[in-house]
Amino acid sequence: EVVRRLEEAGAEVVVCAADVSDEAQMRRAVAEGEGRFGPVNGIIHAAGVPGGGAIETKTSEMADRVLAPKVKGTLVLDALFEGRELDFFVLCSSLSAVTGLFWQADYSAANAFLDAFAHRNNLKGKTHTVSINWDSWQDVGMAIDSAAELNLMKWREKSLKDAISPQEGVEAFKRILAHPLPQVLVSTQDLQAVIDLNNDLIASSAAGAHEAEASQRADHARPVLRSNYVAPTNDIERTIIEIWKELLGFTEIGIYDNFLELGGHSLLAIQLISRLRETFNVEIPVGTLFEAPVVADLALVILQELMERQGGEKLEQMLDRLQGGAEAGGGQAVTRQTAPEPPGGDSDGRPW
């Protein structure tokens, strides 16, 4: 539709599909464009992927997906036009790089890179480069696309009511290009007020998490789950269960009960992993909890970490030591046997 309107207005349009972070694809796209219209006189880099989610739950692959278009894409464009005379190199950044956005660490970091790159390019006397930290736009842009994808129409109407209109954006763009500044912030609201609001949001979310944790500490009977109750078989499982009980608020939890089925969420996951790190003195990524959301699997992960820290101690030695601790405390001894059936599937034959 946009291309059709451009053509109706008299423009000649060539559409080239290419990943901005892939140098080979971009080289072909540039060659096609210049073969049709002649040398490129300026660059507007507006590619981006929205982020989202607590930083503790992100894998490097998830973060790379958000970082690549802005970080690697900028470097690819810089390499392709190295030594060429351009009128401008415009980088479409976001106010999130300055204000910070809750659960948007990767997206904020990607835009902060654009800001730093613009300053660096100008200090080196290269092509005039400007990073524009845009506020949200009305009717067009990433905020609109994200809201539509998530079906958040009411949220969109409220949050974008005072956003930049396309006409205002065009005028701001013209004015920015007329000045040699390396970075310009475009905000429809008092910027310090926005920063303070985001800081308050983070603080209130943390307070809400503590309140939710306190509420969940009330002792509740074990709910109906897909898994049958299976008691812990060693000290690691018993310790994990005690932490789960405290955070989730249940009086009884089995080794095959699922963290998510018990009401666990990302904020509780961060607290749980922090407690496990302190208790066992091992490094456990938060993502591990979503890959191994039952006590038995989590205990195996911790056991493996403990074994590696001990310099490759034999599994039998570690189990013997755990068994000794269980017997001294009057608990159930550890034995090597096939684990009971986990919820929703056949036994995976884990040795215990």
Side-chain angles (χ1 to χ4, degrees):
E1 175 64 24
V2 174
V3 172
R4 184 182 61 79
R5 291 206 307 267
L6 286 171
E7 290 176 333
E8 288 175 351
E12 186 178 353
V13 180
V14 172
V15 178
C16 301
D19 180 349
V20 71
S21 64
D22 186 313
E23 185 171 344
Q25 290 185 29
M26 287 302 298
R27 193 176 296 279
R28 288 194 295 270
V30 170
E32 183 177 348
E34 292 191 322
R36 182 76 171 270
F37 301 111
V40 169
N41 301 113
I43 301 172
I44 301 173
H45 180 23
V49 173
I55 189 171
E56 288 279 5
T57 66
K58 285 185 177 294
T59 62
S60 59
E61 291 78 12
M62 293 165 64
D64 285 344
R65 177 175 173 271
V66 178
L67 292 168
K70 292 182 179 287
V71 177
K72 191 172 181 182
T74 300
L75 297 176
V76 165
L77 290 169
D78 186 52
L80 288 179
F81 291 93
E82 178 69 29
R84 307 250 313 249
E85 289 189 10
L86 299 173
D87 295 333
F88 55 80
F89 188 175
V90 175
L91 304 171
C92 291
S93 182
S94 164
L95 281 180
S96 66
V98 179
T99 64
L101 282 179
F102 190 58
W103 282 27
Q104 293 282 337
D106 45 8
Y107 185 67
S108 297
N111 287 295
F113 172 84
L114 298 183
D115 301 341
F117 181 89
H119 284 276
R120 171 252 193 192
N121 245 24
N122 285 290
L123 285 173
K124 287 195 168 189
K126 292 191 171 186
T127 297
H128 169 53
T129 306
V130 57
S131 184
I132 307 176
N133 300 89
W134 292 107
D135 204 339
S136 297
W137 285 51
Q138 296 176 10
D139 305 324
V140 294
M142 193 175 294
I144 288 291
D145 294 339
S146 298
E149 181 179 346
L150 298 174
N151 198 26
L152 301 177
M153 293 302 122
K154 291 184 178 178
W155 172 86
R156 182 182 74 175
E157 292 172 5
K158 181 178 179 181
S159 64
L160 302 183
K161 177 170 56 98
D162 298 320
I164 303 168
S165 70
Q167 295 77 18
E168 291 171 333
V170 170
E171 182 62 26
F173 188 83
K174 290 178 180 178
R175 294 188 186 188
I176 291 167
L177 279 187
H179 291 275
L181 297 171
Q183 183 179 2
V184 178
L185 282 64
V186 183
S187 177
T188 63
Q189 305 174 66
D190 180 86
L191 194 57
Q192 188 57 52
V194 174
I195 294 173
D196 293 341
L197 181 63
N198 281 323
N199 289 338
D200 290 343
L201 174 62
I202 293 171
S204 63
S205 296
H210 290 311
E211 290 176 7
E213 178 184 352
S215 172
Q216 286 177 325
R217 280 178 178 166
D219 291 337
H220 299 293
R222 180 175 178 273
V224 177
L225 302 172
R226 289 182 298 171
S227 56
N228 295 322
Y229 174 76
V230 178
T233 62
N234 59 62
D235 282 351
I236 293 181
E237 290 179 346
R238 269 186 286 277
T239 302
I240 294 172
I241 285 175
E242 288 305 314
I243 296 174
W244 281 34
K245 284 181 179 179
E246 183 179 347
L247 292 179
L248 297 170
F250 294 105
T251 57
E252 188 177 61
I253 294 176
I255 62 172
Y256 292 115
D257 293 349
N258 190 297
F259 175 75
L260 301 176
E261 286 188 48
L262 290 169
H265 50 73
S266 57
L267 289 177
L268 277 177
I270 293 171
Q271 297 175 60
L272 172 58
I273 291 298
S274 178
R275 291 282 301 277
L276 292 175
R277 286 171 178 166
E278 293 174 2
T279 301
F280 294 101
N281 192 26
V282 294
E283 284 301 316
I284 309 171
V286 171
T288 301
L289 185 57
F290 298 96
E291 297 168 1
V294 300
V295 172
D297 288 340
L298 196 54
L300 280 175
V301 171
I302 293 173
L303 179 61
Q304 180 64 37
E305 290 292 326
L306 290 172
M307 289 171 61
E308 291 179 0
R309 196 181 68 195
Q310 293 295 325
E313 183 177 6
K314 297 290 187 181
L315 177 61
E316 289 79 4
Q317 293 175 321
M318 182 67 73
L319 290 173
D320 287 344
R321 204 168 67 199
L322 286 173
Q323 180 177 1
E327 290 173 346
Q332 183 176 347
V334 178
T335 57
R336 289 180 63 81
Q337 62 184 29
T338 300
E341 278 194 10
D346 297 328
S347 170
D348 60 3
R350 280 190 295 266
W352 269 100

